[in-house]
Amino acid sequence: MKEDGLFLFRKIYLTISIIDNTLGSKDIEYRYRGGERVAREKFGTLTEQMFYILLCLREECCGMDVMARVSELTGGRVAVGPGTLYNLLEQFLAAGYIVETRAEGRRRSYRLTGAGEALLKGEVERLQMQVRDYRAIFEG
């Protein structure tokens, strides 16, 4: 089965880039449920690592500082390894959620952009809604 130049497979995730003339490149994750294609934007929900990396970048810092701050903030509950960190930093840069502020040799520093703050705020609101729903069921 072929559609839009991509082979579609049921019940798997495909990540593709769609070029939108008004918004630029946009990553969309497609999932299949009951044979229907349902789109979810990349970064529509954040993993704990993503959340804490962005949270740490409210202030300028380098990758090593981010790893240490995440561990400190979470009491060691959340760990971010260098492979995960630098992969996510590249993705956040490409999406415009962070900006590189300084480069000293191999050491790079980053800071959250307005778009990154909005993404983080949206995630906090999403999590608060989940807590409200939980409380309505179990404490209401």
Side-chain angles (χ1 to χ4, degrees), residues 15-124:
T15 302
I16 64 169
S17 289
I18 295 175
I19 305 300
D20 181 312
N21 291 335
T22 59
L23 299 175
S25 180
K26 192 173 190 182
D27 287 330
I28 304 288
E29 181 180 280
Y30 288 98
R31 71 179 83 177
Y32 294 86
R33 289 197 183 152
E36 289 187 38
R37 185 166 76 169
V38 180
R40 180 177 73 83
E41 283 192 42
K42 188 173 190 175
F43 305 125
T45 58
L46 301 178
T47 65
E48 280 187 301
Q49 289 87 356
M50 291 174 176
F51 179 86
Y52 284 108
I53 289 168
L54 291 173
L55 191 61
C56 290
L57 291 175
R58 183 150 193 278
E59 297 177 1
E60 178 186 74
C61 56
C62 70
M64 294 300 290
D65 292 339
V66 170
M67 287 189 286
R69 286 182 184 182
V70 168
S71 182
E72 182 182 324
L73 275 172
T74 64
R77 183 178 54 81
V78 176
V80 179
T84 299
L85 175 69
Y86 292 106
N87 181 33
L88 287 172
L89 288 174
E90 283 182 30
Q91 291 179 43
F92 289 147
L93 272 168
Y97 296 128
I98 64 172
V99 64
E100 186 176 309
T101 55
R102 193 174 3 165
E104 298 170 354
R106 291 181 49 182
R107 185 180 175 128
R108 308 251 184 262
S109 294
Y110 306 91
R111 184 164 171 73
L112 202 57
T113 64
E117 286 184 33
L119 177 66
L120 199 53
K121 182 179 180 187
E123 181 67 7
V124 168

